[in-house]
Amino acid sequence: MIDFFVHSFNALSHGLLGYAVPFLFVLTIVVFFHELGHFLVARWAGVRVLTFSLGFGPELIGFNDRHGTRWKISAIPLGGYVKFFGDESEASTPSADTLAAMTPEERAGSFHHKKVGPRAAIVAAGPIANFILGALIFAGMALYYGKPSTIARVDGVVADGAAAAAGFKIGDVVVQIDGKPIESFADMQRIVAMNAGSTLAFQVKRDGAIVALSATPALLERKDPFGNSHRVGVLGVEHKSQAGEASTAPVGVGEAFKIGVEQVWFIITSTFKFLGSLFVGHGNPNEVSGVLGIAKMSGQAASAGFQFVINLCAVLSVSIGLLNLFPIPLLDGGHLMFYAAEVVRGRPLSERTQEMGFRIGLGLVLMLMVFATYNDILRMAAS
């Protein structure tokens, strides 16, 4: 047991030293855009913004803008917040006594005195900003690097695999999966990887004719180029690139933006599929990663090149935006859930009810963080 903890400590210390800078770079960009979404819509709605902070805890450096907002960088760089006039805490929790004592002029700039619509827009703006950031990064990469194009041709069929059982043959070219056009072998791999255990409808071109096939990818454990293990769906086909076959086609602004939006949608749908697989017992909860896991991925991406760091930034931005929309008190989705209840009831939930909700939400978030960190430590200790 002592050897395990020593090995774990050595692995963590070695990894954290190499991963801290790229991790903080990625996280800071994602958090900044999330909070900027809240900030811009709040200003538009006439809400006074007291603080815009990157990080939590004691202030390291900051300044006041002409509107009286304190922009600052704080000591604990694991998130950020925007504090509005009328908030009692960074979680935007109000105090009924403080709100009741406000003058009419103060109420005009108070977040909690705004109607439900503006409040909901301000809260939702953070996750939406994350989605926009992800789409813009993916679109920018498509503009700069072009669109990969490698024909989705089957050059080999693994015996006893899902493809063999479905009737795939050498020379088949996959043109559609579940009605979605397939433009490259990578497109096919990506869809198959996220659909282990799900039956997919394939359209393949064979001898000039279109043939319909149904296949259910098998769940197998594979290692990525960095040695990380992942459980993914595998069809059981082989592809051999021929000379001059692989290429990247330039794209225009419109198509690049479409690619960016499609990438964001793919991440969102893939996340829900993963959560669904966990719910029915098919998914692996050990694949849930926390701060340490993200830091490790950031370091690995940095070692591979700036392109991979920016790509991780886009993926993380979409993931954090989606996570914040979950209906858990303390997260943005929890606030939106309270506002929905306010619309139905015709009045806000009581201060006690909201306080209990935030406590439950905090407990859920802390449990998730502990579980994810435990997974990260086990993975890093085993590597």
mmCIF file of all heavy atoms in Angstrom, residues 21 29 31 36 56-57 78 106 123 183-184 187 200 241 245 261 269 274-275 318 363 370:
data_model
loop_
_atom_site.group_PDB
_atom_site.id
_atom_site.type_symbol
_atom_site.label_atom_id
_atom_site.label_comp_id
_atom_site.label_asym_id
_atom_site.label_seq_id
_atom_site.Cartn_x
_atom_site.Cartn_y
_atom_site.Cartn_z
ATOM 1 N N VAL A 21 1.114 24.587 -16.959
ATOM 2 C CA VAL A 21 1.040 25.764 -17.833
ATOM 3 C C VAL A 21 0.013 25.583 -18.954
ATOM 4 O O VAL A 21 -0.864 26.437 -19.128
ATOM 5 C CB VAL A 21 2.428 26.113 -18.403
ATOM 6 C CG1 VAL A 21 2.311 27.215 -19.454
ATOM 7 C CG2 VAL A 21 3.365 26.543 -17.283
ATOM 8 N N ILE A 29 -8.800 30.508 -20.903
ATOM 9 C CA ILE A 29 -9.550 30.920 -22.093
ATOM 10 C C ILE A 29 -11.015 30.515 -21.974
ATOM 11 O O ILE A 29 -11.927 31.311 -22.231
ATOM 12 C CB ILE A 29 -8.929 30.312 -23.363
ATOM 13 C CG1 ILE A 29 -7.545 30.913 -23.624
ATOM 14 C CG2 ILE A 29 -9.833 30.530 -24.572
ATOM 15 C CD1 ILE A 29 -6.826 30.296 -24.797
ATOM 16 N N VAL A 31 -12.817 29.721 -19.256
ATOM 17 C CA VAL A 31 -13.514 30.423 -18.170
ATOM 18 C C VAL A 31 -13.766 31.880 -18.544
ATOM 19 O O VAL A 31 -14.844 32.428 -18.281
ATOM 20 C CB VAL A 31 -12.694 30.329 -16.867
ATOM 21 C CG1 VAL A 31 -13.264 31.265 -15.799
ATOM 22 C CG2 VAL A 31 -12.676 28.902 -16.353
ATOM 23 N N LEU A 36 -17.481 36.073 -19.686
ATOM 24 C CA LEU A 36 -17.727 37.212 -20.566
ATOM 25 C C LEU A 36 -19.156 37.169 -21.116
ATOM 26 O O LEU A 36 -19.787 38.222 -21.312
ATOM 27 C CB LEU A 36 -16.721 37.208 -21.717
ATOM 28 C CG LEU A 36 -16.763 38.411 -22.666
ATOM 29 C CD1 LEU A 36 -16.394 39.690 -21.914
ATOM 30 C CD2 LEU A 36 -15.818 38.202 -23.842
ATOM 31 N N PHE A 56 -10.574 32.215 -7.957
ATOM 32 C CA PHE A 56 -11.254 32.466 -6.694
ATOM 33 C C PHE A 56 -10.224 32.844 -5.623
ATOM 34 O O PHE A 56 -9.022 32.706 -5.821
ATOM 35 C CB PHE A 56 -12.030 31.220 -6.238
ATOM 36 C CG PHE A 56 -13.079 30.775 -7.219
ATOM 37 C CD1 PHE A 56 -12.820 29.766 -8.141
ATOM 38 C CD2 PHE A 56 -14.335 31.365 -7.224
ATOM 39 C CE1 PHE A 56 -13.789 29.352 -9.041
ATOM 40 C CE2 PHE A 56 -15.311 30.954 -8.123
ATOM 41 C CZ PHE A 56 -15.034 29.949 -9.032
ATOM 42 N N GLY A 57 -10.738 33.283 -4.480
ATOM 43 C CA GLY A 57 -9.843 33.577 -3.374
ATOM 44 C C GLY A 57 -9.276 34.983 -3.430
ATOM 45 O O GLY A 57 -9.831 35.870 -4.093
ATOM 46 N N LEU A 78 -8.904 28.081 -10.688
ATOM 47 C CA LEU A 78 -9.704 26.924 -11.105
ATOM 48 C C LEU A 78 -11.149 27.324 -11.365
ATOM 49 O O LEU A 78 -12.086 26.689 -10.886
ATOM 50 C CB LEU A 78 -9.637 25.820 -10.039
ATOM 51 C CG LEU A 78 -8.246 25.227 -9.799
ATOM 52 C CD1 LEU A 78 -8.308 24.180 -8.691
ATOM 53 C CD2 LEU A 78 -7.690 24.608 -11.088
ATOM 54 N N GLU A 106 -31.327 51.808 -6.927
ATOM 55 C CA GLU A 106 -30.510 50.605 -6.765
ATOM 56 C C GLU A 106 -31.202 49.392 -7.378
ATOM 57 O O GLU A 106 -30.549 48.541 -7.981
ATOM 58 C CB GLU A 106 -30.234 50.363 -5.279
ATOM 59 C CG GLU A 106 -29.290 51.379 -4.665
ATOM 60 C CD GLU A 106 -29.128 51.188 -3.171
ATOM 61 O OE1 GLU A 106 -30.103 50.716 -2.527
ATOM 62 O OE2 GLU A 106 -28.052 51.501 -2.637
ATOM 63 N N VAL A 123 -27.978 34.325 -17.299
ATOM 64 C CA VAL A 123 -27.455 33.041 -16.820
ATOM 65 C C VAL A 123 -27.097 32.121 -17.986
ATOM 66 O O VAL A 123 -26.042 31.474 -17.998
ATOM 67 C CB VAL A 123 -28.480 32.363 -15.885
ATOM 68 C CG1 VAL A 123 -28.059 30.930 -15.572
ATOM 69 C CG2 VAL A 123 -28.609 33.155 -14.582
ATOM 70 N N GLU A 183 -17.900 11.671 -45.378
ATOM 71 C CA GLU A 183 -16.993 12.245 -46.359
ATOM 72 C C GLU A 183 -15.556 11.763 -46.192
ATOM 73 O O GLU A 183 -14.701 12.094 -47.012
ATOM 74 C CB GLU A 183 -17.054 13.769 -46.284
ATOM 75 C CG GLU A 183 -18.452 14.321 -46.563
ATOM 76 C CD GLU A 183 -18.510 15.830 -46.484
ATOM 77 O OE1 GLU A 183 -17.455 16.452 -46.211
ATOM 78 O OE2 GLU A 183 -19.585 16.398 -46.709
ATOM 79 N N SER A 184 -15.277 11.038 -45.118
ATOM 80 C CA SER A 184 -13.918 10.530 -44.922
ATOM 81 C C SER A 184 -13.967 9.319 -44.005
ATOM 82 O O SER A 184 -14.957 9.096 -43.291
ATOM 83 C CB SER A 184 -13.012 11.612 -44.311
ATOM 84 O OG SER A 184 -13.400 11.902 -42.983
ATOM 85 N N ASP A 187 -14.529 10.360 -40.457
ATOM 86 C CA ASP A 187 -15.936 10.579 -40.101
ATOM 87 C C ASP A 187 -16.573 9.278 -39.617
ATOM 88 O O ASP A 187 -17.278 9.248 -38.604
ATOM 89 C CB ASP A 187 -16.719 11.096 -41.311
ATOM 90 C CG ASP A 187 -16.442 12.558 -41.605
ATOM 91 O OD1 ASP A 187 -15.826 13.218 -40.763
ATOM 92 O OD2 ASP A 187 -16.840 13.017 -42.685
ATOM 93 N N LEU A 200 -26.312 0.680 -36.057
ATOM 94 C CA LEU A 200 -26.191 1.783 -37.001
ATOM 95 C C LEU A 200 -26.612 1.321 -38.394
ATOM 96 O O LEU A 200 -26.321 0.192 -38.797
ATOM 97 C CB LEU A 200 -24.748 2.304 -37.048
ATOM 98 C CG LEU A 200 -24.158 2.836 -35.741
ATOM 99 C CD1 LEU A 200 -22.693 3.200 -35.923
ATOM 100 C CD2 LEU A 200 -24.952 4.051 -35.256
ATOM 101 N N SER A 241 -4.410 3.511 -46.626
ATOM 102 C CA SER A 241 -4.329 4.686 -47.488
ATOM 103 C C SER A 241 -3.406 4.405 -48.667
ATOM 104 O O SER A 241 -2.308 3.876 -48.498
ATOM 105 C CB SER A 241 -3.809 5.893 -46.697
ATOM 106 O OG SER A 241 -4.717 6.246 -45.680
ATOM 107 N N GLU A 245 -3.917 9.497 -51.954
ATOM 108 C CA GLU A 245 -5.343 9.426 -51.637
ATOM 109 C C GLU A 245 -5.745 10.412 -50.544
ATOM 110 O O GLU A 245 -6.782 11.070 -50.635
ATOM 111 C CB GLU A 245 -5.693 8.004 -51.195
ATOM 112 C CG GLU A 245 -7.167 7.774 -50.964
ATOM 113 C CD GLU A 245 -7.459 6.328 -50.588
ATOM 114 O OE1 GLU A 245 -7.115 5.916 -49.463
ATOM 115 O OE2 GLU A 245 -7.994 5.609 -51.446
ATOM 116 N N VAL A 261 -20.129 24.277 -36.141
ATOM 117 C CA VAL A 261 -21.400 23.977 -35.467
ATOM 118 C C VAL A 261 -21.622 22.471 -35.390
ATOM 119 O O VAL A 261 -22.084 21.948 -34.358
ATOM 120 C CB VAL A 261 -22.566 24.670 -36.208
ATOM 121 C CG1 VAL A 261 -23.910 24.218 -35.639
ATOM 122 C CG2 VAL A 261 -22.434 26.183 -36.120
ATOM 123 N N THR A 269 -24.090 15.678 -28.413
ATOM 124 C CA THR A 269 -24.812 14.410 -28.552
ATOM 125 C C THR A 269 -23.989 13.238 -28.030
ATOM 126 O O THR A 269 -24.541 12.311 -27.421
ATOM 127 C CB THR A 269 -25.197 14.166 -30.019
ATOM 128 O OG1 THR A 269 -24.020 14.232 -30.850
ATOM 129 C CG2 THR A 269 -26.191 15.208 -30.495
ATOM 130 N N PHE A 274 -22.996 9.067 -23.875
ATOM 131 C CA PHE A 274 -22.156 8.496 -22.819
ATOM 132 C C PHE A 274 -22.917 8.448 -21.497
ATOM 133 O O PHE A 274 -22.893 7.433 -20.790
ATOM 134 C CB PHE A 274 -20.882 9.317 -22.670
ATOM 135 C CG PHE A 274 -20.027 8.921 -21.507
ATOM 136 C CD1 PHE A 274 -19.341 7.714 -21.516
ATOM 137 C CD2 PHE A 274 -19.921 9.742 -20.393
ATOM 138 C CE1 PHE A 274 -18.551 7.341 -20.426
ATOM 139 C CE2 PHE A 274 -19.139 9.376 -19.315
ATOM 140 C CZ PHE A 274 -18.450 8.171 -19.332
ATOM 141 N N LEU A 275 -23.612 9.544 -21.166
ATOM 142 C CA LEU A 275 -24.387 9.564 -19.922
ATOM 143 C C LEU A 275 -25.501 8.529 -19.959
ATOM 144 O O LEU A 275 -25.792 7.880 -18.948
ATOM 145 C CB LEU A 275 -24.965 10.966 -19.698
ATOM 146 C CG LEU A 275 -23.951 12.078 -19.437
ATOM 147 C CD1 LEU A 275 -24.648 13.427 -19.336
ATOM 148 C CD2 LEU A 275 -23.158 11.800 -18.165
ATOM 149 N N VAL A 318 -16.950 23.462 -24.975
ATOM 150 C CA VAL A 318 -18.287 22.906 -25.204
ATOM 151 C C VAL A 318 -18.712 22.035 -24.022
ATOM 152 O O VAL A 318 -19.864 22.100 -23.570
ATOM 153 C CB VAL A 318 -18.319 22.089 -26.511
ATOM 154 C CG1 VAL A 318 -19.694 21.449 -26.711
ATOM 155 C CG2 VAL A 318 -17.967 22.969 -27.701
ATOM 156 N N GLY A 363 -23.230 19.772 -2.696
ATOM 157 C CA GLY A 363 -22.879 18.400 -2.335
ATOM 158 C C GLY A 363 -22.693 17.520 -3.554
ATOM 159 O O GLY A 363 -21.741 16.735 -3.632
ATOM 160 N N VAL A 370 -14.825 14.724 -6.369
ATOM 161 C CA VAL A 370 -14.047 13.714 -5.639
ATOM 162 C C VAL A 370 -13.956 12.430 -6.460
ATOM 163 O O VAL A 370 -12.878 11.827 -6.584
ATOM 164 C CB VAL A 370 -14.682 13.433 -4.263
ATOM 165 C CG1 VAL A 370 -14.044 12.214 -3.612
ATOM 166 C CG2 VAL A 370 -14.526 14.651 -3.365
#
